[in-house]
Amino acid sequence: MDRISWKSTFGLALAAMVCLMAAPASAGIVYNVTNNLGDQNGWSLAGTITVSAAGTYTDTSAITAWNITASQSGTNYLFANNAGTPSKSLQGTIVATSSQLLLITNGSFVLNSKNTAPRSYLIWSNAREFGFGPSTKYKAAILESPLWDTGAFSPVVGDAWVLGTTSAVPEIDPAGMGSVLALVTGALGLLERRRLKTA
């Protein structure tokens, strides 16, 4: 009887652990920034943008973090929220899904970072008209000197720009793992008490 109980307990604990490991963490959605080499003047872009939750946003309150590096021939420029005096701005609408971070048509999204140099920023703007002609722009600049500056950006979904996509690798929620350990420890303690009592 005790042997069956032990097997059942371990089976349940393992099932719970697998489910919790497969569940996404509650820390938000992390998107790998789009690296569109064709529009970046020979620069490569890598890093992440973190959004608090899936949804549609008309301000930057859901953007909780960013850490993006532009690289070319051994030169690296960092745009990050946790260094220097960063800022962010949005005109228009961003849509965060489980797989993509989208900038809807007629929107502009800017990430600033003064870690590398002041007046350094990344701009995605797919606004068609602002009263003075087309203002579609994809730009990165250091000290207001452009690394790249183009009126195009890919990939797109309809007319929306794909700012980033999620990784297929699931994250592990530390709080969930703590719950599993508490479950296993408690079950083993109860079984040990039962074994000692019957002995």
Side-chain angles (χ1 to χ4, degrees), residues 97-190:
T97 73
S98 60
S99 59
Q100 295 177 319
L101 182 62
L102 304 171
L103 177 64
I104 303 303
T105 305
N106 291 327
S108 295
F109 180 50
V110 181
L111 293 177
N112 295 334
S113 174
K114 294 184 179 179
N115 181 46
T116 304
R119 303 185 304 283
S120 302
Y121 47 80
L122 291 165
I123 297 176
W124 296 263
S125 178
N126 65 358
R128 298 296 179 255
E129 296 282 343
F130 278 159
F132 301 98
S135 58
T136 303
K137 182 179 291 292
Y138 175 46
K139 181 177 181 179
I142 301 296
L143 281 171
E144 295 187 353
S145 178
L147 304 180
W148 65 82
D149 188 356
T150 178
F153 184 80
S154 293
V156 296
V157 174
D159 283 334
W161 285 6
V162 182
L163 303 180
T165 55
T166 57
S167 170
V169 179
E171 298 179 12
I172 299 174
D173 187 349
M177 290 300 294
S179 299
V180 169
L181 290 175
L183 172 66
V184 172
T185 303
L188 292 178
L190 288 172

Side-chain angles (χ1 to χ4, degrees), residues 40-66:
Q40 293 168 188
N41 192 31
W43 290 84
S44 179
L45 200 65
T48 59
I49 301 172
T50 303
V51 177
S52 58
T56 300
Y57 303 98
T58 57
D59 60 38
T60 59
S61 59
I63 308 296
T64 59
W66 63 94

